[in-house]
Amino acid sequence: ILRDDPIMSDYEREVFGLLVRRGDIGGIQFRVAHCVGLALDAIGGAETPLGRELQRLSADFSSARTIKQLNAPLIALKDYLKDIQ
C-alpha cells in the first residue's frame, strides 16, 4: 500500500522497505495505520459505511503477529482502498 503511494517520498519508501526487510511488524503496522487514518479522513470518518469497513479490515491487519499473517489482511486492505478511490 505505502510503497506504491505516489505521495511517498523516496526516503519514506526506503524506510518502509527497511521495515519490511527487517520484519518489523510493529513498524509496518504503525505506517499502515497512518495510511488508513488518512484514508478514513478522506472518506468522511469511521462513522460512514466505507469507514466502518475500512476499520474492520484495518483491525484484521493490526491483529497479525508475524509477517506471514500480514499477507492476507494487507491484500484485503489494498484491494479495498483501490476500490474506494
Side-chain angles (χ1 to χ4, degrees):
I1 294 172
L2 292 174
R3 285 193 64 132
D4 296 336
D5 189 335
I7 295 174
M8 271 187 109
S9 69
D10 289 337
Y11 169 77
E12 290 170 327
R13 281 188 180 92
E14 290 306 314
V15 169
F16 189 73
L18 181 62
L19 292 173
V20 171
R21 287 189 298 278
R22 287 186 176 172
D24 184 347
I25 303 294
I28 293 167
Q29 288 171 325
F30 176 79
R31 299 278 181 169
V32 171
H34 177 72
C35 178
V36 168
L38 294 173
L40 275 172
D41 288 344
I43 60 174
E47 299 305 315
T48 65
L50 293 175
R52 284 190 293 275
E53 180 64 10
L54 183 55
Q55 279 197 309
R56 185 190 67 75
L57 293 170
S58 177
D60 291 344
F61 179 80
S62 296
S63 67
R65 297 291 163 232
T66 66
I67 290 287
K68 198 175 217 180
Q69 291 174 339
L70 289 177
N71 195 35
L74 185 59
I75 290 170
L77 259 174
K78 180 179 126 184
D79 290 346
Y80 187 71
L81 289 170
K82 282 184 178 181
D83 287 346
I84 65 172
Q85 291 189 26

